[in-house]
Structure formats: structure tokens, C-alpha cells
Amino acid sequence: MFYEKPMPFYMSYPMPWLTEEEWEQRRDLQRMKACWSKKAARIQELAEEECDRLEYGGSRMYDEYPDRWMMRRLCGKIEKRLKEQGEAPAGGEQEENLRDLIEVLLYHEIYRRRCSRRKCRTFF
């Protein structure tokens, strides 16, 4: 006699906390990222790596009022990594524009993670 094995719970509901609307928002963000320039995509990748390092319980990234010095320090780390890889302009207005782009992308990534964490907390 053939008995079908029961499906484990974690396979039947892969992401129970994400609604269809959130899935659509994530897909839309990925589509928009595909239109970015290579430099902006590289900066976003580095910003995500820095945020991954700060993704733990009690992280300063999730403080109600994030420390401005910490945020600037993270931007400085990203800028330093870009310079080490030879992807950052040296001096002048271009360097200032790059710093502004780094700040915007990093702050947006932190904001996005803070929002998703806030939504997830309501389910636990």
C-alpha cells in the first residue's frame, strides 16, 4: 500500500509573514534595481553587506533614534572600500556626490530593514 509522506510544515508555508502585497513590492524593487547604473548597484551591494553585519538582536541599527556618528561611520567604511577597489573618484565635487549617494542608499537600506523587522515583530 502506498502512503504519501506528509509535507513538513516549513515547506507548506515558505514565508508565512509576507503578504502578496509585500512580495509585489520586493519584485518591483528588484526590477527598479536592474535599471541602476553599475556604480549605484555596487554601492547598494556594499550597503547591504554592511547592514547584514549589523543584523542581530539589539543592534544599533534598530535603535529608535539611530546615532548619526554611527551612520556616517558606516558611510565612511563603504567609501573606503570603494577607494580600495579603485571605484571611487579622487577629490572634488564628484567625491562629494559619491558620498551623498552612499548616504542615501545606505539610509534607505537601513530604513527598509527597520520597516520589515517592525512588521515581523507583530507576528511573534
Side-chain angles (χ1 to χ4, degrees), residues 35-49:
C35 298
W36 291 2
S37 68
K38 288 183 182 181
K39 185 170 282 192
R42 179 68 182 136
I43 292 170
Q44 177 65 26
E45 183 181 314
L46 293 173
E48 287 175 2
E49 288 175 16

Side-chain angles (χ1 to χ4, degrees), residues 48-63 70 73-74 77 113-114 117 121:
E48 287 175 2
E49 288 175 16
E50 286 298 324
C51 288
D52 286 343
R53 287 190 187 103
L54 289 172
E55 190 97 29
Y56 57 87
S59 173
R60 294 175 294 163
M61 183 169 67
Y62 300 115
D63 288 347
M70 179 205 65
R73 200 171 119 244
L74 287 174
K77 279 183 175 180
R113 289 177 186 232
R114 287 167 59 107
R117 178 171 266 228
R121 281 188 186 163

